[in-house]
Amino acid sequence: MDPIFLKVVVGTTLLASSSAVVGTFSYLKGQSLVGDAIAHALLPGVVLAFMLGDGRNPAYLIFGALVSGLIAHYGIEFIQNRTKLKSDTAVSLVLSTFFGFGIMLMSVVQQRGQGQQAGLERYLLGKAAAITMLDVYTFSALALVLLLGVALFYKGFQLMTFNEDFAHAIGLPVGLIRVTFTVLTVLAVTIGIQTVGVVLMAALLITPAAAARAWTKSLPQMIVLAAVFSAISAILGTLISSAITKMPTGPWIVIILGLIGFTSLFIAPEKGWLFKRKRALENRSKTNRENIMKLMYRQEEKCGTGNKLSIPQILSIRAMREDALRVGLKDLKKRLWIIEHIDGFALTDLGRIEGRRVVRLHRLWELYLTERLGMAPDHIHPQAETMEHVITPEIEALLIKELGVPERDPHESLIPYENE
Amino acid sequence: MDKSIEVHNLTVSYHSKPVLWDVDFTLPKGKIIGIVGPNGSGKTTMLKTIMGLLDADSGYTEIFGQPLDKVRERVSYVPQRESVDWDFPADVMDVVLMGRYRKNNLFKRITKEDRRIATEALEKVNLLEFAHRQISQLSGGQQQRVFIARSLAQQADIYLMDEPFVGVDAATEDAILKLLRDMKNEGKTVVIVHHDLQTANEYFDWIVLLNTRLVAAGPKEEVFTKELLQEAYGGRLTVLSKLGDIIGSTEFPLREPEFKEDKAEE
């Protein structure tokens, strides 16, 4: 394998996954924007270090970035504590001021014609391909510091994120924990912007955590998963950008990370959009089914058992969409709850039990509303229309018990029970 | 009287607006004590100041005759349930184990002994079967019991709880009450912030009636009188609250700093 390529892959993977580990805590603290602000705020520090020191030595630049990032972080906290500004305002204020100052300094450097411009510009948009062997060593060391830091402070970070007051109350050194977290965040951002630049840095901190959160409910798993997602993105991003000429590495890493993030939000179990959508559809067809069964059961109450109903007859009793009705009837036939005769649909014995159940729930709930919540009988029907689909067998049993196995609903209709 | 908590001439402000004025009382040991008062009367502020989470403008508090830092491991704190994000990725056991965190084991791994103590605490609040349930999937009452279990895992002598009865079901309420009585029988002191007058008389042995200033503190028979309750709940003290607004909006120092030093030396 190409040694230059290998070098870049190792560098970006280390950068990306160590940022993801620290970013997990920022994400959980609801401070997604702070990383973005710090990334922008690093610029003046980096440029100053470049002007005053040796532009090619990463140690100078990292030191400059660290100082500038810390000032920005405490600037944000100071504004939040001492003024009535909301935190997003404080973050934007610091972000834009520092970034503006950084850009200004950069143009000064440009006018002075201070040679190695490339060294500076990579902080703006990132330039992974320019990673040198010295960089790789430096980043590896920093990534190691980050991982060790998080491992050592795991309990502190966990409790600080979940319940800072409690950490304080049990006498943990909250100040030390916070400073450590801040330094680690600034370090992560400092080494991260080498690859993706100031502008895209927030993605490297937050996206892996957001993606990982969709898949797991355990903090250690979430941290590992975020790091893995980042590593995959870094490797794929580097592969793509080296396979296609003139493709930048940083943006590709961020795009792949974004894809992983969106896919996770979309397909993840329980929290994913797909899962919720499926559940909503299932509920809708259940509601549809139960409405038809209720209608047919009530029609049997009026006209006698075995009463048949055609589609136009059903539609004349209850306004519903014809296509929905047809789908519902097909579903019910499959469940053997109804039979289709030439002159209409009739309930089967199985279907009658289901229809009776829905009608019973409707009437029980109406009775509960009037008896327990003191609602007037002419106001309760719409509520009951919804609740009859929601009430579970356990709640049904509770309702019956609490109402003392009532005979009639508030409209004097019989409440139908099984085994009668 | 064997003293648990002493509060001396305490004045505390929140966003530079005073919420406690010159509060002074002493609490006994081995009792269930209620800090009772209407909304906005400074109950939570009182508790947070005792726990060192808020700084007093003047005055000071002591626990077992010593500053908090000297006796921290004997003091346990249960914050309001709503003060944390229950969507945090953790299970019940994770949260209860936090009660075992200490300054001197921050960098160490959780031990078997910690797990044993946490398991016992969970058993006491009847949540053992939920040990590996996600905290986001718990009911309000179960969340409250998790917080209490975490506090039990601290194995302290005095417990400060902020509104543990808010939003819990009847079963949880009974469970908490029984637990409190067991703790009292073991000689523990429990201080509870509580806003509901209906139940206060039944729950507590000793009551601190608070409404920005101290209305009364003592055994419940002495404090739970019509006159004193009227005084605590009968509307806000207009002059005091107006003065508070002025101080809040004009950056007056509430006390000269030297004054505070004098007090602390007494």
mmCIF file of all heavy atoms in Angstrom, chain B residues 60-98:
data_model
loop_
_atom_site.group_PDB
_atom_site.id
_atom_site.type_symbol
_atom_site.label_atom_id
_atom_site.label_comp_id
_atom_site.label_asym_id
_atom_site.label_seq_id
_atom_site.Cartn_x
_atom_site.Cartn_y
_atom_site.Cartn_z
ATOM 1 N N TYR B 60 -24.295 31.597 57.523
ATOM 2 C CA TYR B 60 -23.645 30.338 57.184
ATOM 3 C C TYR B 60 -24.453 29.174 57.725
ATOM 4 O O TYR B 60 -25.383 29.367 58.523
ATOM 5 C CB TYR B 60 -22.221 30.300 57.735
ATOM 6 C CG TYR B 60 -22.129 30.359 59.233
ATOM 7 C CD1 TYR B 60 -21.926 29.200 59.981
ATOM 8 C CD2 TYR B 60 -22.259 31.573 59.911
ATOM 9 C CE1 TYR B 60 -21.848 29.256 61.352
ATOM 10 C CE2 TYR B 60 -22.186 31.634 61.287
ATOM 11 C CZ TYR B 60 -21.977 30.469 62.005
ATOM 12 O OH TYR B 60 -21.912 30.511 63.370
ATOM 13 N N THR B 61 -24.133 27.971 57.259
ATOM 14 C CA THR B 61 -24.821 26.787 57.763
ATOM 15 C C THR B 61 -23.782 25.782 58.246
ATOM 16 O O THR B 61 -22.657 25.750 57.748
ATOM 17 C CB THR B 61 -25.661 26.106 56.671
ATOM 18 O OG1 THR B 61 -24.784 25.637 55.652
ATOM 19 C CG2 THR B 61 -26.661 27.059 56.060
ATOM 20 N N GLU B 62 -24.200 24.967 59.215
ATOM 21 C CA GLU B 62 -23.323 23.914 59.699
ATOM 22 C C GLU B 62 -24.096 22.617 59.811
ATOM 23 O O GLU B 62 -25.300 22.620 60.086
ATOM 24 C CB GLU B 62 -22.761 24.281 61.077
ATOM 25 C CG GLU B 62 -21.575 25.210 60.993
ATOM 26 C CD GLU B 62 -20.980 25.475 62.362
ATOM 27 O OE1 GLU B 62 -21.612 25.141 63.378
ATOM 28 O OE2 GLU B 62 -19.863 26.038 62.401
ATOM 29 N N ILE B 63 -23.399 21.503 59.576
ATOM 30 C CA ILE B 63 -24.030 20.197 59.737
ATOM 31 C C ILE B 63 -23.246 19.425 60.788
ATOM 32 O O ILE B 63 -22.015 19.354 60.708
ATOM 33 C CB ILE B 63 -24.049 19.444 58.393
ATOM 34 C CG1 ILE B 63 -24.843 20.263 57.371
ATOM 35 C CG2 ILE B 63 -24.655 18.066 58.570
ATOM 36 C CD1 ILE B 63 -24.928 19.664 56.012
ATOM 37 N N PHE B 64 -23.932 18.878 61.751
ATOM 38 C CA PHE B 64 -23.292 18.208 62.892
ATOM 39 C C PHE B 64 -22.198 19.089 63.487
ATOM 40 O O PHE B 64 -21.106 18.620 63.813
ATOM 41 C CB PHE B 64 -22.715 16.854 62.482
ATOM 42 C CG PHE B 64 -23.746 15.905 61.941
ATOM 43 C CD1 PHE B 64 -23.543 15.262 60.728
ATOM 44 C CD2 PHE B 64 -24.919 15.660 62.640
ATOM 45 C CE1 PHE B 64 -24.501 14.384 60.229
ATOM 46 C CE2 PHE B 64 -25.884 14.779 62.134
ATOM 47 C CZ PHE B 64 -25.664 14.145 60.931
ATOM 48 N N GLY B 65 -22.476 20.400 63.555
ATOM 49 C CA GLY B 65 -21.549 21.336 64.175
ATOM 50 C C GLY B 65 -20.301 21.637 63.377
ATOM 51 O O GLY B 65 -19.361 22.237 63.890
ATOM 52 N N GLN B 66 -20.300 21.211 62.090
ATOM 53 C CA GLN B 66 -19.100 21.446 61.278
ATOM 54 C C GLN B 66 -19.483 21.969 59.906
ATOM 55 O O GLN B 66 -20.611 21.768 59.456
ATOM 56 C CB GLN B 66 -18.326 20.134 61.121
ATOM 57 C CG GLN B 66 -17.576 19.747 62.364
ATOM 58 C CD GLN B 66 -16.881 18.428 62.191
ATOM 59 O OE1 GLN B 66 -17.507 17.438 61.850
ATOM 60 N NE2 GLN B 66 -15.586 18.416 62.426
ATOM 61 N N PRO B 67 -18.545 22.646 59.233
ATOM 62 C CA PRO B 67 -18.865 23.058 57.869
ATOM 63 C C PRO B 67 -19.059 21.821 56.978
ATOM 64 O O PRO B 67 -18.482 20.763 57.245
ATOM 65 C CB PRO B 67 -17.641 23.876 57.427
ATOM 66 C CG PRO B 67 -16.616 23.727 58.476
ATOM 67 C CD PRO B 67 -17.232 23.121 59.680
ATOM 68 N N LEU B 68 -19.862 21.997 55.917
ATOM 69 C CA LEU B 68 -20.232 20.879 55.050
ATOM 70 C C LEU B 68 -19.036 20.059 54.573
ATOM 71 O O LEU B 68 -19.069 18.826 54.582
ATOM 72 C CB LEU B 68 -21.013 21.420 53.845
ATOM 73 C CG LEU B 68 -21.373 20.408 52.766
ATOM 74 C CD1 LEU B 68 -22.375 19.408 53.293
ATOM 75 C CD2 LEU B 68 -21.919 21.113 51.536
ATOM 76 N N ASP B 69 -17.966 20.759 54.175
ATOM 77 C CA ASP B 69 -16.827 20.048 53.586
ATOM 78 C C ASP B 69 -16.220 19.000 54.519
ATOM 79 O O ASP B 69 -15.683 18.007 54.069
ATOM 80 C CB ASP B 69 -15.742 21.052 53.164
ATOM 81 C CG ASP B 69 -15.945 21.482 51.723
ATOM 82 O OD1 ASP B 69 -16.476 20.651 50.957
ATOM 83 O OD2 ASP B 69 -15.602 22.625 51.383
ATOM 84 N N LYS B 70 -16.352 19.237 55.833
ATOM 85 C CA LYS B 70 -15.775 18.293 56.786
ATOM 86 C C LYS B 70 -16.624 17.040 56.944
ATOM 87 O O LYS B 70 -16.154 16.018 57.415
ATOM 88 C CB LYS B 70 -15.640 18.987 58.156
ATOM 89 C CG LYS B 70 -14.613 20.107 58.155
ATOM 90 C CD LYS B 70 -13.437 19.734 59.050
ATOM 91 C CE LYS B 70 -12.279 20.694 58.874
ATOM 92 N NZ LYS B 70 -12.496 21.949 59.619
ATOM 93 N N VAL B 71 -17.943 17.161 56.609
ATOM 94 C CA VAL B 71 -18.846 16.032 56.882
ATOM 95 C C VAL B 71 -19.567 15.550 55.619
ATOM 96 O O VAL B 71 -20.569 14.864 55.693
ATOM 97 C CB VAL B 71 -19.905 16.418 57.938
ATOM 98 C CG1 VAL B 71 -19.275 16.558 59.302
ATOM 99 C CG2 VAL B 71 -20.625 17.691 57.543
ATOM 100 N N ARG B 72 -19.018 15.908 54.443
ATOM 101 C CA ARG B 72 -19.715 15.637 53.200
ATOM 102 C C ARG B 72 -20.180 14.190 53.037
ATOM 103 O O ARG B 72 -21.262 13.930 52.536
ATOM 104 C CB ARG B 72 -18.841 16.010 52.015
ATOM 105 C CG ARG B 72 -19.525 17.096 51.224
ATOM 106 C CD ARG B 72 -18.924 17.337 49.924
ATOM 107 N NE ARG B 72 -18.535 18.732 49.826
ATOM 108 C CZ ARG B 72 -19.355 19.677 49.363
ATOM 109 N NH1 ARG B 72 -20.556 19.375 48.972
ATOM 110 N NH2 ARG B 72 -18.947 20.909 49.291
ATOM 111 N N GLU B 73 -19.353 13.257 53.476
ATOM 112 C CA GLU B 73 -19.714 11.857 53.252
ATOM 113 C C GLU B 73 -20.833 11.399 54.161
ATOM 114 O O GLU B 73 -21.367 10.313 53.995
ATOM 115 C CB GLU B 73 -18.469 10.974 53.405
ATOM 116 C CG GLU B 73 -17.402 11.446 52.444
ATOM 117 C CD GLU B 73 -16.441 10.368 52.013
ATOM 118 O OE1 GLU B 73 -16.408 9.312 52.664
ATOM 119 O OE2 GLU B 73 -15.724 10.596 51.033
ATOM 120 N N ARG B 74 -21.190 12.225 55.149
ATOM 121 C CA ARG B 74 -22.317 11.865 56.012
ATOM 122 C C ARG B 74 -23.614 12.509 55.539
ATOM 123 O O ARG B 74 -24.656 12.337 56.158
ATOM 124 C CB ARG B 74 -22.019 12.302 57.459
ATOM 125 C CG ARG B 74 -20.801 11.590 58.045
ATOM 126 C CD ARG B 74 -20.494 12.105 59.430
ATOM 127 N NE ARG B 74 -21.579 11.822 60.363
ATOM 128 C CZ ARG B 74 -21.665 12.387 61.562
ATOM 129 N NH1 ARG B 74 -20.766 13.275 61.957
ATOM 130 N NH2 ARG B 74 -22.661 12.084 62.367
ATOM 131 N N VAL B 75 -23.523 13.297 54.455
ATOM 132 C CA VAL B 75 -24.695 14.033 53.975
ATOM 133 C C VAL B 75 -25.080 13.548 52.581
ATOM 134 O O VAL B 75 -24.227 13.399 51.710
ATOM 135 C CB VAL B 75 -24.392 15.547 53.895
ATOM 136 C CG1 VAL B 75 -25.656 16.310 53.566
ATOM 137 C CG2 VAL B 75 -23.777 16.034 55.179
ATOM 138 N N SER B 76 -26.373 13.292 52.386
ATOM 139 C CA SER B 76 -26.835 12.816 51.091
ATOM 140 C C SER B 76 -27.872 13.780 50.531
ATOM 141 O O SER B 76 -28.634 14.384 51.276
ATOM 142 C CB SER B 76 -27.444 11.430 51.255
ATOM 143 O OG SER B 76 -28.079 11.055 50.080
ATOM 144 N N TYR B 77 -27.903 13.909 49.210
ATOM 145 C CA TYR B 77 -28.755 14.910 48.585
ATOM 146 C C TYR B 77 -29.580 14.271 47.475
ATOM 147 O O TYR B 77 -29.052 13.539 46.638
ATOM 148 C CB TYR B 77 -27.857 16.029 48.043
ATOM 149 C CG TYR B 77 -28.530 17.053 47.179
ATOM 150 C CD1 TYR B 77 -29.582 17.830 47.666
ATOM 151 C CD2 TYR B 77 -28.100 17.283 45.874
ATOM 152 C CE1 TYR B 77 -30.175 18.789 46.871
ATOM 153 C CE2 TYR B 77 -28.688 18.253 45.076
ATOM 154 C CZ TYR B 77 -29.735 18.999 45.585
ATOM 155 O OH TYR B 77 -30.313 19.944 44.798
ATOM 156 N N VAL B 78 -30.876 14.542 47.486
ATOM 157 C CA VAL B 78 -31.756 14.068 46.413
ATOM 158 C C VAL B 78 -32.332 15.279 45.694
ATOM 159 O O VAL B 78 -33.208 15.956 46.217
ATOM 160 C CB VAL B 78 -32.915 13.215 46.983
ATOM 161 C CG1 VAL B 78 -33.810 12.724 45.858
ATOM 162 C CG2 VAL B 78 -32.384 12.049 47.782
ATOM 163 N N PRO B 79 -31.808 15.599 44.501
ATOM 164 C CA PRO B 79 -32.318 16.777 43.798
ATOM 165 C C PRO B 79 -33.737 16.546 43.272
ATOM 166 O O PRO B 79 -34.228 15.416 43.284
ATOM 167 C CB PRO B 79 -31.344 16.962 42.632
ATOM 168 C CG PRO B 79 -30.492 15.762 42.587
ATOM 169 C CD PRO B 79 -30.774 14.892 43.767
ATOM 170 N N GLN B 80 -34.358 17.610 42.810
ATOM 171 C CA GLN B 80 -35.680 17.464 42.206
ATOM 172 C C GLN B 80 -35.592 16.555 40.997
ATOM 173 O O GLN B 80 -34.649 16.623 40.223
ATOM 174 C CB GLN B 80 -36.216 18.831 41.774
ATOM 175 C CG GLN B 80 -36.913 19.562 42.888
ATOM 176 C CD GLN B 80 -37.478 20.895 42.448
ATOM 177 O OE1 GLN B 80 -37.834 21.081 41.297
ATOM 178 N NE2 GLN B 80 -37.547 21.825 43.375
ATOM 179 N N ARG B 81 -36.610 15.731 40.845
ATOM 180 C CA ARG B 81 -36.606 14.754 39.760
ATOM 181 C C ARG B 81 -36.498 15.438 38.395
ATOM 182 O O ARG B 81 -35.823 14.954 37.495
ATOM 183 C CB ARG B 81 -37.890 13.927 39.835
ATOM 184 C CG ARG B 81 -38.012 12.850 38.828
ATOM 185 C CD ARG B 81 -39.095 11.891 39.229
ATOM 186 N NE ARG B 81 -40.388 12.543 39.377
ATOM 187 C CZ ARG B 81 -41.201 12.778 38.356
ATOM 188 N NH1 ARG B 81 -40.876 12.404 37.152
ATOM 189 N NH2 ARG B 81 -42.355 13.375 38.552
ATOM 190 N N GLU B 82 -37.169 16.581 38.249
ATOM 191 C CA GLU B 82 -37.174 17.247 36.937
ATOM 192 C C GLU B 82 -35.860 17.941 36.624
ATOM 193 O O GLU B 82 -35.705 18.484 35.546
ATOM 194 C CB GLU B 82 -38.298 18.287 36.863
ATOM 195 C CG GLU B 82 -39.682 17.713 36.773
ATOM 196 C CD GLU B 82 -40.237 17.399 38.146
ATOM 197 O OE1 GLU B 82 -39.532 17.654 39.142
ATOM 198 O OE2 GLU B 82 -41.365 16.888 38.221
ATOM 199 N N SER B 83 -34.920 17.943 37.574
ATOM 200 C CA SER B 83 -33.703 18.721 37.328
ATOM 201 C C SER B 83 -32.729 17.997 36.404
ATOM 202 O O SER B 83 -31.709 18.555 36.032
ATOM 203 C CB SER B 83 -33.018 19.053 38.658
ATOM 204 O OG SER B 83 -32.566 17.868 39.268
ATOM 205 N N VAL B 84 -33.012 16.750 36.040
ATOM 206 C CA VAL B 84 -32.097 16.063 35.116
ATOM 207 C C VAL B 84 -32.840 15.582 33.877
ATOM 208 O O VAL B 84 -34.060 15.505 33.863
ATOM 209 C CB VAL B 84 -31.404 14.849 35.776
ATOM 210 C CG1 VAL B 84 -30.687 15.248 37.033
ATOM 211 C CG2 VAL B 84 -32.403 13.749 36.054
ATOM 212 N N ASP B 85 -32.057 15.254 32.850
ATOM 213 C CA ASP B 85 -32.610 14.758 31.601
ATOM 214 C C ASP B 85 -32.673 13.230 31.688
ATOM 215 O O ASP B 85 -31.642 12.563 31.643
ATOM 216 C CB ASP B 85 -31.698 15.203 30.450
ATOM 217 C CG ASP B 85 -32.144 14.623 29.122
ATOM 218 O OD1 ASP B 85 -33.263 14.076 29.058
ATOM 219 O OD2 ASP B 85 -31.375 14.714 28.156
ATOM 220 N N TRP B 86 -33.871 12.692 31.814
ATOM 221 C CA TRP B 86 -34.017 11.247 32.001
ATOM 222 C C TRP B 86 -33.791 10.478 30.714
ATOM 223 O O TRP B 86 -33.875 9.258 30.690
ATOM 224 C CB TRP B 86 -35.380 10.916 32.625
ATOM 225 C CG TRP B 86 -35.414 11.347 34.046
ATOM 226 C CD1 TRP B 86 -35.850 12.547 34.530
ATOM 227 C CD2 TRP B 86 -34.935 10.603 35.182
ATOM 228 N NE1 TRP B 86 -35.682 12.584 35.894
ATOM 229 C CE2 TRP B 86 -35.126 11.408 36.313
ATOM 230 C CE3 TRP B 86 -34.373 9.334 35.343
ATOM 231 C CZ2 TRP B 86 -34.768 10.991 37.592
ATOM 232 C CZ3 TRP B 86 -34.029 8.919 36.613
ATOM 233 C CH2 TRP B 86 -34.226 9.747 37.720
ATOM 234 N N ASP B 87 -33.534 11.181 29.615
ATOM 235 C CA ASP B 87 -33.231 10.508 28.363
ATOM 236 C C ASP B 87 -31.741 10.151 28.290
ATOM 237 O O ASP B 87 -31.276 9.583 27.314
ATOM 238 C CB ASP B 87 -33.613 11.440 27.205
ATOM 239 C CG ASP B 87 -34.088 10.646 26.007
ATOM 240 O OD1 ASP B 87 -34.493 9.489 26.202
ATOM 241 O OD2 ASP B 87 -34.036 11.184 24.897
ATOM 242 N N PHE B 88 -31.005 10.496 29.323
ATOM 243 C CA PHE B 88 -29.570 10.200 29.372
ATOM 244 C C PHE B 88 -29.349 8.689 29.236
ATOM 245 O O PHE B 88 -30.083 7.890 29.810
ATOM 246 C CB PHE B 88 -29.017 10.682 30.715
ATOM 247 C CG PHE B 88 -27.523 10.659 30.805
ATOM 248 C CD1 PHE B 88 -26.766 11.680 30.269
ATOM 249 C CD2 PHE B 88 -26.874 9.606 31.435
ATOM 250 C CE1 PHE B 88 -25.387 11.658 30.364
ATOM 251 C CE2 PHE B 88 -25.496 9.578 31.526
ATOM 252 C CZ PHE B 88 -24.751 10.609 30.984
ATOM 253 N N PRO B 89 -28.332 8.280 28.437
ATOM 254 C CA PRO B 89 -28.113 6.841 28.248
ATOM 255 C C PRO B 89 -27.531 6.175 29.496
ATOM 256 O O PRO B 89 -26.320 6.167 29.682
ATOM 257 C CB PRO B 89 -27.122 6.782 27.080
ATOM 258 C CG PRO B 89 -26.420 8.092 27.097
ATOM 259 C CD PRO B 89 -27.392 9.090 27.635
ATOM 260 N N ALA B 90 -28.414 5.661 30.336
ATOM 261 C CA ALA B 90 -27.967 4.967 31.544
ATOM 262 C C ALA B 90 -29.089 4.052 31.995
ATOM 263 O O ALA B 90 -30.255 4.329 31.709
ATOM 264 C CB ALA B 90 -27.651 5.978 32.646
ATOM 265 N N ASP B 91 -28.750 2.976 32.693
ATOM 266 C CA ASP B 91 -29.810 2.174 33.288
ATOM 267 C C ASP B 91 -29.886 2.463 34.786
ATOM 268 O O ASP B 91 -29.098 3.251 35.316
ATOM 269 C CB ASP B 91 -29.666 0.675 32.946
ATOM 270 C CG ASP B 91 -28.431 0.045 33.580
ATOM 271 O OD1 ASP B 91 -27.880 0.627 34.528
ATOM 272 O OD2 ASP B 91 -28.019 -1.040 33.123
ATOM 273 N N VAL B 92 -30.865 1.849 35.435
ATOM 274 C CA VAL B 92 -31.132 2.147 36.837
ATOM 275 C C VAL B 92 -29.890 1.918 37.700
ATOM 276 O O VAL B 92 -29.518 2.753 38.527
ATOM 277 C CB VAL B 92 -32.316 1.281 37.321
ATOM 278 C CG1 VAL B 92 -32.454 1.339 38.822
ATOM 279 C CG2 VAL B 92 -33.604 1.749 36.658
ATOM 280 N N MET B 93 -29.214 0.792 37.463
ATOM 281 C CA MET B 93 -28.030 0.474 38.253
ATOM 282 C C MET B 93 -26.950 1.545 38.077
ATOM 283 O O MET B 93 -26.318 1.942 39.060
ATOM 284 C CB MET B 93 -27.518 -0.911 37.830
ATOM 285 C CG MET B 93 -26.414 -1.463 38.686
ATOM 286 S SD MET B 93 -26.749 -1.406 40.453
ATOM 287 C CE MET B 93 -26.851 -3.103 40.893
ATOM 288 N N ASP B 94 -26.744 2.011 36.847
ATOM 289 C CA ASP B 94 -25.745 3.062 36.603
ATOM 290 C C ASP B 94 -25.991 4.264 37.518
ATOM 291 O O ASP B 94 -25.060 4.816 38.107
ATOM 292 C CB ASP B 94 -25.805 3.553 35.147
ATOM 293 C CG ASP B 94 -25.325 2.501 34.153
ATOM 294 O OD1 ASP B 94 -24.534 1.633 34.564
ATOM 295 O OD2 ASP B 94 -25.745 2.548 32.986
ATOM 296 N N VAL B 95 -27.254 4.680 37.603
ATOM 297 C CA VAL B 95 -27.574 5.881 38.387
ATOM 298 C C VAL B 95 -27.369 5.621 39.880
ATOM 299 O O VAL B 95 -26.799 6.449 40.590
ATOM 300 C CB VAL B 95 -29.014 6.349 38.100
ATOM 301 C CG1 VAL B 95 -29.374 7.526 38.992
ATOM 302 C CG2 VAL B 95 -29.162 6.743 36.644
ATOM 303 N N VAL B 96 -27.812 4.444 40.351
ATOM 304 C CA VAL B 96 -27.669 4.165 41.788
ATOM 305 C C VAL B 96 -26.184 4.091 42.163
ATOM 306 O O VAL B 96 -25.781 4.553 43.230
ATOM 307 C CB VAL B 96 -28.414 2.866 42.161
ATOM 308 C CG1 VAL B 96 -28.228 2.559 43.636
ATOM 309 C CG2 VAL B 96 -29.889 3.017 41.850
ATOM 310 N N LEU B 97 -25.375 3.542 41.244
ATOM 311 C CA LEU B 97 -23.935 3.458 41.523
ATOM 312 C C LEU B 97 -23.297 4.836 41.684
ATOM 313 O O LEU B 97 -22.273 4.978 42.354
ATOM 314 C CB LEU B 97 -23.234 2.679 40.415
ATOM 315 C CG LEU B 97 -23.361 1.154 40.535
ATOM 316 C CD1 LEU B 97 -22.860 0.472 39.282
ATOM 317 C CD2 LEU B 97 -22.614 0.642 41.759
ATOM 318 N N MET B 98 -23.907 5.866 41.067
ATOM 319 C CA MET B 98 -23.361 7.223 41.229
ATOM 320 C C MET B 98 -23.333 7.621 42.705
ATOM 321 O O MET B 98 -22.543 8.459 43.118
ATOM 322 C CB MET B 98 -24.206 8.233 40.449
ATOM 323 C CG MET B 98 -24.069 8.111 38.941
ATOM 324 S SD MET B 98 -25.226 9.209 38.094
ATOM 325 C CE MET B 98 -24.974 8.692 36.394
#
